Amino acid sequence: MILLDGKKLALKIQEDIKKDVELLKQASITPGLAVIMVGDDPASRVYVKKKAEACKEVGIYSVVHEMPENIKEDTIVNTIKLMNENDSINGILVQLPLPEHINQTKILETIDPKKDVDGFHPFNMGRLFLDLESFVPCTPLGVMKIFEEYEIDLKGKNVCVVGASNIVGKPMSALLLNAFATVDICHIYTKNLSEHTNRADIVIVGVGKAGLITEDMVKEGAIVIDIGINRLDNGKLVGDVDFENVSKKCSYITPVPGGVGPMTIAMLLANTIKATKL
Ligand code: GUN
């Protein structure tokens, strides 16, 4: 079994980004990222902090707009519009989830697609599904970089994606399809999940349910990518895969932490540089 070391790869990518930022700064351009965070979700707070720290580490300017849970939708819309017009801001990201009373689609559609470093705007999502140049959501893009780094060929492979969210499962499936994999997308209403996962050469799971993927659900020699991040009652951070037992059957597997998580952050930095160069 080979461990897919996302942490190591992310550090390598961040070193390259650092050099890119230095070159941009020599041309008097400082890449800038604006993050909007609404409410006080503890997980979102941790992610936003990590994103800001990573920006600082590579020399990207970042600003976090923190807004209270009861904020009016219009206030968020107006903040995004200001960022759209602000030349020192190249990338805009709205941390999800948003509170119930906020129309998420309206918020995401307000972001200028050229500054949409999360790739969640329907313009970018549509282009991704058509295999056209676009901003690609950071987590699925990070998974693709792991495949590239470890020379895992996707052409003709049976890939089972567990979780069909707009953030992970759907864009992940589009990227895999664009790479000519045969994609099976499973979700909460899928019957006999293990029938699907057991057929797969590659299982990619991101639903946020600790221990969902057990040893009997993957075939011998499968490649397993764990996108889940769950905190157990004892404080331990785990993915959606029963790592201890599943890893014994795998050819490759991502650990949690240290797998896909750091790649998500690295891809956000990469997308911010891409937006700056645009
Ligand atoms: N919430 C969970 N994952 C993400 C992400 O990748 N981007 C944003 N903006 N919010 C998230």
Side-chain angles (χ1 to χ4, degrees):
M1 181 272 292
I2 294 173
L3 211 58
L4 298 166
D5 192 341
K7 193 174 171 185
K8 188 169 143 201
L9 177 56
L11 280 173
K12 192 166 102 181
I13 292 169
Q14 275 177 226
E15 284 310 308
D16 291 341
I17 289 173
K18 228 183 235 179
K19 287 178 200 144
D20 263 1
V21 173
E22 275 163 23
L23 285 176
L24 285 164
K25 283 186 176 172
Q26 279 168 25
S28 302
I29 299 163
T30 300
L33 174 71
V35 178
I36 294 170
M37 152 125 190
V38 184
D40 206 24
D41 178 63
S44 289
R45 197 165 277 288
V46 171
Y47 297 142
V48 167
K49 190 168 163 232
K50 280 191 176 173
K51 288 170 186 180
E53 280 170 0
C55 283
K56 195 168 176 201
E57 177 66 31
V58 299
I60 293 175
Y61 163 74
S62 77
V63 55
V64 180
H65 294 270
E66 289 198 28
M67 298 179 174
E69 182 85 16
N70 62 359
I71 193 95
K72 285 206 176 74
E73 192 173 277
D74 277 355
T75 312
I76 309 176
V77 166
N78 289 332
T79 304
I80 295 172
K81 283 181 177 167
L82 282 174
M83 296 297 135
N84 284 343
E85 298 304 320
N86 185 339
D87 287 340
S88 63
I89 296 299
N90 306 100
I92 303 168
L93 176 165
V94 178
Q95 188 64 30
L96 302 179
L98 288 168
E100 285 281 312
H101 69 282
I102 306 288
N103 180 340
Q104 182 179 298
T105 306
K106 183 175 174 191
I107 297 300
L108 295 179
E109 282 185 322
T110 305
I111 298 172
D112 180 343
K114 292 191 292 299
K115 296 190 176 187
D116 176 31
V117 286
D118 252 337
F120 294 163
H121 191 292
F123 177 87
N124 282 310
M125 205 59 95
R127 288 184 63 89
L128 168 62
F129 273 80
L130 297 174
D131 200 11
L132 300 171
E133 176 60 35
S134 66
F135 281 104
V136 176
C138 304
T139 299
L141 183 58
V143 173
M144 294 303 279
K145 291 282 173 203
I146 291 176
F147 289 141
E148 202 180 297
E149 175 72 11
Y150 286 85
E151 297 179 348
I152 294 168
D153 186 26
L154 297 167
K155 212 174 280 174
K157 293 278 166 63
N158 290 326
V159 186
C160 181
V161 177
V162 184
S165 68
N166 291 343
I167 294 181
V168 176
K170 286 179 197 168
M172 186 75 252
S173 305
L175 287 165
L176 293 162
L177 188 57
N178 291 343
F180 304 108
T182 300
V183 188
D184 188 7
I185 311 168
C186 298
H187 45 77
I188 192 131
Y189 294 111
T190 299
K191 291 176 188 145
N192 297 321
L193 177 61
S194 65
E195 263 180 34
H196 295 266
T197 55
N198 260 310
R199 273 200 299 266
D201 304 308
I202 304 175
V203 177
I204 303 179
V205 55
V207 298
K209 201 169 167 202
L212 176 70
I213 304 297
T214 47
E215 182 191 359
D216 55 305
M217 293 172 76
V218 296
K219 72 176 184 188
E220 199 73 40
I223 297 169
V224 175
I225 306 289
D226 192 350
I227 299 176
I229 302 179
N230 312 289
R231 196 170 288 279
L232 300 180
D233 289 341
N234 63 10
K236 196 177 168 208
L237 214 56
V238 297
D240 292 346
V241 176
D242 172 8
F243 184 87
E244 193 187 335
N245 295 306
V246 172
S247 60
K248 290 175 190 151
K249 278 181 98 175
C250 290
S251 55
Y252 295 88
I253 188 166
T254 57
V256 177
V260 178
M263 289 302 293
T264 297
I265 307 267
M267 292 304 101
L268 173 65
L269 303 176
N271 279 349
T272 304
I273 299 303
K274 177 172 162 168
T276 307
K277 288 180 178 172
L278 278 181

